[in-house]
Amino acid sequence: MEWIEGGVTAAQGFTAAGIYSGIRKNKSKPDLAMIYAKVPCSAAAVYTQNLVKGAPVAVTRKNIADGRAQAVICNSGNANTCNADGEEKAWRMCEIAAKELGIAPQDVVVASTGVIGQVLPIEPIEQAAPALAKALSPTGSGDAARAIMTTDTEMKNLAVELNIDGKPVRIGGIAKGSGMIHPNMATMLCFLTTDAAISACALNAALKEAVHVSFNMVSVDGDTSTNDMTAVLASGLAGNGEITGESEDYRLFVQGLTALCTALARKVAKDGEGATKLLVCRVTGARSEKDARLVAKSVICSSLFKAAMFGADANWGRVLCAIGYADADVDVSLVDVAFESKAGRIEVCKNGAGIDFDEDEAKKILTQDEINVDVALNGGEFHACAFGCDLTYDYVKINGDYRS
């Protein structure tokens, strides 16, 4: 597998664009994105489990129930959630995109992100649609990635290439996510494309596998958004034999998709609102996969631990505390903890108790922008990895005036 340039336009058959339409007050940032496939695609998606769901989630779920789609349209600046006319507006966005692209509105994935509870103005989207479609380009993934950003500070735009059935297969993705991020289905917006020939059923299974160990293991602030969605379109233009179920080719595809989703998940966590550090909790020796996941998530979700990491404080007791309330089958007397970064590694806890360590050395390790928290449960053979970020003053500042 090789990392390549191109994002969602790396795969054969896809173009993308992002422009400013007038939804956002900030005219310097694009706020309307489009992805288009020149052929009908297999399609799949996963969605937020929040009972309050954005109107685009409901419309997209209906549209791709047949496992087919050919385009994506997404706006930022307004979530189109908790609005009486929400589904009507979301469906209208599908019609607008379909008209410009010459496809059926039922073949459009629609998404929105931004402030909840404000009526989505549809006029800017109608007026901008011709220019948006005209701007579609095989190099437009970056523009689309920027157009779906809200409080993100960095664009999330990646692609991989791997060999399946003797053919080069590409998988690309763009994502947005900075705040209101918590493990529970997709936990942000992500759009994926691939030129692999794969059935909708197999694509759906592969997406769920990839999301399970990537986006579902991210938390920034413990809030599960109303508009979360990860959608994938497969054009089939790579020319490999169609993947229809469990096989060596299916496993290769899942491997590539998982690597891409994990890389995007890390970017989402590192770009958490106000964050200065990516935190990765690596759990080994659990008695079940469920226990490993529970412990890893519990640690990266702990506000006390996140605050300690902001201050580069090796307060390992907060790690043990989070393990203790994780509702996992753990013998705390067997737990080891270590902190690691590019500045080194330091053991801080052995068999559930503190050990002597150099506080200055620990501080040096914890001042880096990526920190691994290694938790060895020493009770079994299962492992898991979760991604989070530190909790800083700026998180409160950003969310204290989010609507303004």
Side-chain angles (χ1 to χ4, degrees), residues 120-136:
L120 175 68
I122 200 69
E123 294 78 15
I125 297 173
E126 290 178 325
Q127 293 167 7
L132 180 64
K134 187 177 181 180
L136 287 167

Side-chain angles (χ1 to χ4, degrees), residues 216-299:
N216 271 4
M217 297 301 288
V218 175
S219 183
V220 168
D221 52 19
D223 274 306
T224 300
S225 174
T226 58
N227 289 52
D228 303 341
M229 180 192 304
T230 296
V232 57
L233 276 62
S235 69
L237 296 178
N240 61 291
E242 185 181 25
I243 300 169
T244 57
E246 187 65 46
S247 64
E248 182 180 348
D249 288 348
Y250 173 81
R251 298 265 43 109
L252 285 170
F253 180 77
V254 170
Q255 181 182 352
L257 185 63
T258 300
L260 176 64
C261 289
T262 300
L264 288 169
R266 288 174 62 94
K267 283 184 171 291
V268 167
K270 190 171 185 178
D271 194 27
E273 288 176 340
T276 65
K277 299 170 184 176
L278 169 66
L279 308 179
V280 180
C281 183
R282 306 185 296 202
V283 174
T284 58
R287 291 170 179 163
S288 68
E289 182 196 3
K290 179 183 178 182
D291 287 337
R293 290 170 61 85
L294 283 171
V295 169
K297 287 182 180 181
S298 188
V299 172

Side-chain angles (χ1 to χ4, degrees), residues 342-364:
K342 59 186 178 183
R345 178 182 176 87
I346 193 164
E347 308 286 335
V348 294
C349 172
K350 187 74 174 176
N351 295 327
I355 57 176
D356 290 335
F357 63 90
D358 186 327
E359 290 281 1
D360 291 335
E361 182 66 19
K363 176 79 75 173
K364 187 187 304 181

Side-chain angles (χ1 to χ4, degrees), residues 6-18 32-42 69-74 94 96-105 107-109 129 132-141 144 174 191-195 232-235 237:
V8 291
T9 56
Q12 294 184 62
F14 291 93
T15 54
L32 189 62
M34 180 177 281
I35 303 167
Y36 172 63
K38 68 179 183 181
V39 295
C41 298
S42 298
Q70 199 170 345
V72 175
I73 186 168
C74 176
C94 296
I96 291 167
K99 178 183 176 182
E100 297 302 323
L101 299 173
I103 62 175
D107 289 334
V108 178
V109 170
L132 180 64
K134 187 177 181 180
L136 287 167
S137 163
T139 60
S141 184
I174 60 173
F191 305 113
L192 305 163
T193 63
T194 180
D195 48 21
V232 57
L233 276 62
S235 69
L237 296 178

Side-chain angles (χ1 to χ4, degrees), residues 199-215:
S199 69
C201 183
L203 187 64
N204 183 61
L207 180 63
K208 288 182 177 178
E209 281 198 54
V211 166
H212 182 65
V213 297
S214 58
F215 299 133

